[in-house]
Amino acid sequence: MLIDIVHVWPLRGLALVGLVLLCLMGAAAPGYSQDRPPVAVDIPAQPLGQSIADLTEQASVTIVAPDQLVADKSAPAVSGRLTPEEALRRLLAGSGLSARAGAGGAIIVTVAPSNPPDGGPIRLDPITVEAVLEGTITDSYAAPDNFASTRTDTLAIDTPQSTQAITRQALEDADATNVADAYDYLAGITRENNFGGITGDQYLARGFRTDNILINGNRSGAPTTLDTANVERVEAIRGPTATLFGRADPGGLVNVVTKQPLAEPFYEVDLQGGAGFFDEGARYRDVRATVDTGGPIDEEGRIRYRLNAAAEYERSFRKDIDDKLFFVSPVVDFEIDQKTIANVELVYQYRDFVFDRGVPFIDGEPGLPVDWYIGEEQAPSINANYVSGTFRVDRELTDALSARLGFYTSYNDVDGEGIEIRRVLTNAMATAARNDYDTSDLVITLQPELVAAFETGSFGHTALFGIDASYRRNKFRIMGSQAGAPFDLLGTEFPVDAPEIDLSQPGTFSAFNDLTAWELGIYVQDQIDLSDQWKLLAGVRWDAVWLDAKAESTFTSFFNTESEGEFRDNTFLPRIGLVYQPIREIGLYSSYSETYRPPTVVAEIDSERANLDPEEGRSLEVGIKLDAFDGRLTGTLAAFRADKENVIQADPDNPGFRINIGSVRSQGVELDLAGEVFENFDLGISYAFTDAQVDSDDNPNLPKGTRLFNVPRHAASLQAAYRFTEGMLQGLRLFGGIVYEGEKKTNTSATIRTKLPDYIRFDLGASYKLTENVQARLFIQNLTNEEYYTSANGENRVVPGQPLNATLGVRVRF
């Protein structure tokens, strides 16, 4: 267990003072000019001079490298689709050399200005236009960089924060068609109740519920379940993120990185079908088709595109639950000139699904088959439309200064009916009711940023200055019918009695919530190379929020409540971290940061109509990072303690109102390792020990030590893949996964002790290249047909996992 950590609040003042001083310092330094489009690069580890010669040939560029500079220097292996500048940067890493633009488009290798003969720090490069926008195609499990954790082009090993990414290849090997499927392989991230599908891919980060998913670093509201057709990777940014992203919880955020335009033509079509086996899984059927294409539009390659589309029909293993999906996402970038790129990305997703809150436990134990569904023979459907648009411009102002302007908006609309259990009575009897939902969520964000690389004395800096202004309008309406006649859970005769909604009848209700939220954040961050081995990150954000909320509730037509609330506040949120690299492949780090989350749930006021206090958090983390084999194997081992105060929950004495219940603490250890262990063998490992519990006695119903629900103490996963490249099995690739979750509570309650049982799930798959362009694929999920449950919202709403099933697909790529 972690040793109790002393208070570190004085670091707040230290971070603020230090940051002010850092912001007053600066001097321009030379760097790269505009990067060229990415090309296929495959260079082995060898002498640096030979590597530069190979790159010159493969990238068709002119690189001038004097023999006396590259003599007796070696270079790591570099492969993948990279810009020539990025490939050269990786070849020169740690050599004391850098590159600059020469006449006629040539690149000249020279002694790095920030690496004088007496040995100085290596200056961090500013973010380049291509660094974030370029599209790549890779089959690796490793992701050595993570843009969202710093919003600069920084390697993960140089960042004093725990991050992990499930790459595109890992997503495919897990047959992950929804973003939530990636959570099984992210340490410290667990599935949360998603309100029958209405609130989408909800998750817990280090035990704290988080109400947002980032899309390319932008807040997306709470969309319904997102498809992965256009997803390049899913990242976990663990620990507090408020300095860069505003309101947040101390556990972290999930960021979805989307596929981007390609410099060379690419076409891919996937067709797959799935079926369930044995007992409860026998009805399962799935048909899915995806298209992924991209490349240059004009002859010069200055306009590039990427288009992803998907269509799916799923007949769930849950009885009478069928889902339909249509998804399309075009992305185009425009090279306006050699220093400016504009990018436009659109997403539209339509889902027709059945509201499903799972199965009830009986006397605290699983007692019903996992395919049992309360709405069998009368399942109404819900329609969900999600649309988002992103426009951004990246401009290289000078060799050392870059700017970007981003505009992001998303709109999510959900409308339809669902049936759920109203109450579970004694003797396994229950009642059902019908609910009608109509929700919408609009998010608009404008975000200008500057990134500068400069030096002060012997220190190299990468400084970030940004502003984000956001607007959100969230509306939620629900109407519920009276409860129907009781029925026997163990011998259910379908259809159950779920009356139509008539608000004049006893036992009915209607609730409407309307939230308008404005947020303005101004943030500054500096990444400082103190020496070759020491790196410091310091940042601070001033955040201001303006909230207006209204709520109206009607119970059985004669009991009405109305409430209005407004909230105005601002705060400073510091962040500071230190990285020490005893050798290039190892980074030891520590970090401290704070979070702030205003009462954003509609009408979060107490019974006396007073505003609730905002939730405040802080986190301290130490860890060790690995970046070995030239970025092909990455990993993190982290220990953390996070505290959140003024936690907001429902008021047990005043239904319809909320209260601050005190503080919650989460502490634990996380491990992740991913990449190519040896040639053709990829491995991904994650483990998390999370001890999340109430840490105060402010609420008598939740005494200190009460564990938080849906948070297993132990969770682990393993992914592995091996590719045969010679002999009779050439073209065959074997892959599989193992997912384990320990038991977890269904309620955050001291009196209700019902737990979801622990489980272990085995998946297995294989692909085979029939021709150079055609690949067949087989994936078997839940090989042992394990009965398991992924999340709960009380013991009457438990979500079962998928039984044994198999998917067969064909991919055509050219």
Side-chain angles (χ1 to χ4, degrees), residues 481-510:
S481 73
Q482 64 188 125
F487 63 92
D488 186 358
L489 287 169
L490 296 177
T492 309
E493 295 184 7
F494 293 102
V496 301
D497 184 15
E500 296 294 327
I501 298 173
D502 181 354
L503 295 180
S504 66
Q505 297 298 313
T508 60
F509 69 90
S510 173

Side-chain angles (χ1 to χ4, degrees), residues 106 234 293 505 714 768:
V234 179
T293 180
Q505 297 298 313
H714 301 277
Y768 185 74

Side-chain angles (χ1 to χ4, degrees), residues 644-647 661-665 693-696 698:
K644 185 163 74 168
E645 298 177 348
N646 304 325
V647 175
I661 67 168
S663 62
V664 170
R665 170 171 293 176
Q693 56 184 264
V694 176
D695 195 45
S696 68
D698 295 2

Side-chain angles (χ1 to χ4, degrees), residues 595-669:
T595 61
Y596 172 85
R597 188 175 183 275
T600 54
V601 176
V602 195
E604 281 194 336
I605 54 178
D606 63 23
S607 57
E608 297 180 358
R609 301 299 197 274
N611 284 329
L612 296 177
D613 294 325
E615 297 178 331
E616 298 179 346
R618 60 185 184 273
S619 177
L620 188 61
E621 180 177 322
V622 296
I624 180 171
K625 292 191 175 188
L626 173 71
D627 189 342
F629 307 131
D630 305 306
R632 297 196 306 275
L633 183 65
T634 61
T636 304
L637 174 63
F640 67 91
R641 194 184 83 178
D643 295 279
K644 185 163 74 168
E645 298 177 348
N646 304 325
V647 175
I648 298 172
Q649 284 200 359
D651 185 348
D653 299 320
N654 296 282
F657 296 98
R658 301 167 75 84
I659 58 173
N660 295 111
I661 67 168
S663 62
V664 170
R665 170 171 293 176
S666 176
Q667 54 189 355
V669 177

